[in-house]
Amino acid sequence: MKIYNTLTRKKEDFKPIDPKEVKVYVCGPTVYNYFHIGNARPFVVFDTLRRYLEYSGMPVKFVQNFTDVDDKIINRAREEGITAGEVGDKYIGEYYKDAAALNVKKASVHPRVTETMPEIIQFVKDLQDKGYAYEVDGDVYYSTRKFKEYGKLSRQNIEDLESGARIEVGEKKQDPLDFALWKARKTDDEIAWESPWGMGRPGWHIECSVMSTKHLGETIDIHAGGQDLTFPHHENEIAQSEAHNGKTFANYWMHNGYITIDNEKMSKSKGNFFTVRDVLQNYDGETIRFFLLSGHYRSPINFSRDLMDQAKNGLARLQNAKSNLKHMAEQGGEGAMTEAEASALAALEAYRGKFVTAMDDDLNTADAISAVFELVRDANTAVKDGASKEFAKKALGLLQEFCDVLGLLQDKEEEGGISDEIKALVEERQAARKARNFQRADEIRDLLKAQGIVLEDTPQGVKITRA
């Protein structure tokens, strides 16, 4: 597998430190609100990376943090009249709901800043002891110029950064390029912890360095996140971690591209800011996931109703193919596969190579999805009335194998279930058709259609699907 490494600006062969446990850290959400469609992209993309590594035989320890200490959380707590801890708990719960709708698996570990405070304080103290940090009136800053490789990830040099750097009101840092590792408490209602520098809380960047080191070790395989995190967040993580440990922080850096809304940057002021919870009002989570994987993860993608409708229709083709194969696997012929079916199955299995080649090429989900559609096209041609159960089952298994890697085609029928009441109506309709009572049979069909249940009469029996 080749991965495009932001650090080197080229595709590199992926060589894990230990193939028995690939170590991946992905920056998670700041939990003060529902996460938006832009946040959803890295969650879905790097969940798919994890699935593919596991599919390739490499177990993954996948860490994704929750930032539950932040100015935005403190402000939300004031607005809602609750504590910062309660805000964090609330929106972590909401994250899990929306992530589940997108079929994003839970991380191996979801560390929280508030649960990592002793380690963060010690890490900052270590940097101070090593001469990379200094304290001013309870604030602790990182001395950026002391880290000679600063800017290597974002390809920026100190001189260029210096020209645009400013010291904000209230800051007491020695150099405009320095950044906060620890912030002194400003008001009594701010969440804060005891530290060698007085009551305070961590700066933004330090948390990921510490949580990654705590749960994955000093050097990890892959660090990933959105393109917007390359600078300053990930640049600062490298500076902190490598100054602290004297070792490479991450061997591969992966960043997904931006999402625009109707070809414009998402912005609350423009009224085009959408949370995933908003989008779920009109599209199901699987459609959102399919849309997010339809383009290459490093390319920018545009979110619009037209493109979401296209994604919905494309996903429906895959769902229909699965439904047809499932029906034939249950109702098809009992005999062994014919020679023609064996030949057709061999042709279908050849798509595995095409799928793997695409995914091995820097997680090219767009080309992988194209391979799935080609598989479906040929399967639809091959699986005709009278096909054997064996052939249909193997074709279905191949389709599901690919889609499990992509996190698609989960069994909605199993989620919603076909109730005993619906089954009884289907049986009544079958009896009515046998008795040539077509009026009653049509009434039942229309009644079920109104409930989103579609009946299709086939030579193998009635096929029940959800609209």
Side-chain angles (χ1 to χ4, degrees):
M1 183 181 187
K2 289 185 180 294
I3 287 175
Y4 182 86
N5 190 348
T6 306
L7 186 66
T8 60
R9 298 294 195 272
K10 62 184 180 182
K11 289 182 187 178
E12 299 177 357
D13 290 330
F14 177 59
K15 297 176 182 176
I17 300 164
D18 178 2
K20 295 178 183 176
E21 185 181 73
V22 179
K23 299 173 181 179
V24 180
Y25 187 94
V26 178
C27 289
T30 300
V31 285
Y32 71 100
N33 201 346
Y34 304 106
F35 65 85
H36 58 69
I37 191 69
N39 302 138
R41 192 177 195 191
F43 300 158
V44 167
V45 163
F46 299 118
D47 173 73
T48 305
L49 171 69
R50 173 192 188 177
R51 289 168 179 269
Y52 184 64
L53 290 171
E54 291 172 342
Y55 171 79
S56 301
M58 291 181 275
V60 178
K61 186 170 184 183
F62 191 91
V63 178
Q64 180 182 289
N65 69 300
F66 288 124
T67 296
D68 60 346
V69 180
D70 184 85
D71 288 340
K72 293 173 182 175
I73 293 171
I74 292 169
N75 292 337
R76 179 55 63 98
R78 288 169 180 157
E79 289 170 10
E80 297 191 10
I82 57 178
T83 67
E86 288 169 329
V87 170
D89 290 342
K90 174 182 176 180
Y91 287 106
I92 286 172
E94 300 300 338
Y95 165 85
Y96 282 130
K97 289 178 187 175
D98 290 345
L102 300 178
N103 198 26
V104 171
K105 296 199 295 185
K106 286 188 176 181
S108 310
V109 187
H110 275 295
R112 298 170 62 157
V113 180
T114 54
E115 296 170 350
T116 319
M117 210 53 62
E119 294 88 348
I120 290 173
I121 291 169
Q122 186 61 51
F123 204 101
V124 174
K125 190 173 183 304
D126 291 345
L127 286 171
Q128 188 177 12
D129 292 344
K130 289 172 182 281
Y132 283 96
Y134 59 91
E135 181 216 350
V136 183
D137 296 339
D139 293 326
V140 182
Y141 294 99
Y142 184 90
S143 296
T144 301
R145 292 180 193 275
K146 295 238 177 123
F147 185 71
K148 300 305 180 185
E149 292 185 284
Y150 192 80
K152 65 180 179 179
L153 181 68
S154 56
R155 298 291 177 95
Q156 302 187 70
N157 60 53
I158 288 288
E159 289 73 26
D160 291 340
L161 291 170
E162 185 178 18
S163 66
R166 298 287 183 272
I167 297 180
E168 300 295 329
V169 175
E171 290 186 322
K172 299 172 183 176
K173 55 190 179 183
Q174 297 170 359
D175 188 306
L177 292 177
D178 296 348
F179 58 89
L181 298 172
W182 186 262
K183 297 179 177 181
R185 176 190 253 176
K186 303 295 188 294
T187 61
D188 290 341
D189 66 342
E190 275 189 18
I191 186 171
W193 286 262
E194 287 277 6
S195 80
W197 318 283
M199 295 295 289
R201 58 189 171 89
W204 173 33
H205 313 295
I206 192 69
E207 62 186 66
C208 287
S209 286
V210 177
M211 288 188 276
S212 178
T213 302
K214 177 180 179 179
H215 295 285
L216 295 173
E218 293 177 332
T219 301
I220 68 173
D221 292 297
I222 299 170
H223 197 310
Q227 182 181 333
D228 57 309
L229 297 180
T230 308
F231 184 86
H233 185 51
H234 289 163
E235 195 73 70
N236 290 353
E237 281 188 62
I238 289 174
Q240 296 162 162
S241 302
E242 297 189 0
H244 182 271
N245 304 325
K247 299 177 182 177
T248 298
F249 180 35
N251 289 334
Y252 303 86
W253 288 86
M254 298 178 72
H255 294 93
N256 62 272
Y258 292 114
I259 290 183
T260 56
I261 308 293
D262 293 320
N263 294 308
E264 290 190 355
K265 186 177 179 181
M266 185 164 55
S267 165
K268 287 183 179 177
S269 62
K270 291 180 180 176
N272 66 348
F273 182 90
F274 297 111
T275 65
V276 166
R277 189 67 60 90
D278 294 331
V279 182
L280 285 168
Q281 299 300 311
N282 297 301
Y283 301 96
D284 66 22
E286 194 161 88
T287 298
I288 299 171
R289 185 179 181 107
F290 181 84
F291 164 76
L292 293 171
L293 294 177
S294 294
H296 191 280
Y297 79 91
R298 284 193 289 116
S299 300
I301 56 172
N302 184 47
F303 176 90
S304 70
R305 182 171 287 276
D306 285 346
L307 292 172
M308 284 299 295
D309 287 341
Q310 288 177 32
K312 183 178 180 180
N313 292 336
L315 182 62
R317 284 177 56 199
L318 301 184
Q319 290 168 334
N320 288 337
K322 177 179 177 178
S323 179
N324 291 336
L325 287 169
K326 196 172 180 181
H327 178 67
M328 290 305 299
E330 294 169 353
Q331 305 295 334
E334 295 291 348
M337 282 194 294
T338 64
E339 285 187 21
E341 286 178 332
S343 176
L345 184 63
L348 294 181
E349 287 180 338
Y351 285 115
R352 184 182 285 112
K354 192 167 185 177
F355 180 84
V356 167
T357 297
M359 295 294 281
D360 274 349
D361 183 16
D362 192 32
L363 202 71
N364 193 336
T365 55
D367 284 359
I369 287 172
S370 294
V372 175
F373 275 113
E374 290 175 31
L375 167 72
V376 163
R377 178 198 63 204
D378 291 356
N380 286 340
T381 301
V383 180
K384 301 182 184 301
D385 289 343
S388 69
K389 285 183 178 180
E390 182 184 3
F391 175 74
K393 282 178 183 176
K394 289 188 175 180
L396 175 62
L398 195 60
L399 173 62
Q400 197 64 57
E401 175 187 326
F402 298 167
C403 287
D404 283 348
V405 174
L406 298 170
L408 300 172
L409 295 196
Q410 304 310 295
D411 281 324
K412 291 187 178 182
E413 288 178 358
E414 291 176 12
E415 290 172 10
I418 301 298
S419 68
D420 291 340
E421 181 184 357
I422 289 171
K423 289 177 183 175
L425 285 170
V426 172
E427 290 173 6
E428 184 186 343
R429 177 176 175 271
Q430 291 298 89
R433 280 166 55 83
K434 215 171 203 179
R436 304 186 68 79
N437 184 355
F438 298 116
Q439 182 179 349
R440 178 57 182 160
D442 289 346
E443 285 175 359
I444 294 172
R445 181 196 62 204
D446 294 342
L447 177 65
L448 291 174
K449 189 175 181 181
Q451 298 179 45
I453 304 295
V454 178
L455 304 183
E456 181 184 346
D457 296 308
T458 77
Q460 290 75 38
V462 65
K463 180 179 164 189
I464 308 171
T465 57
R466 291 190 178 274

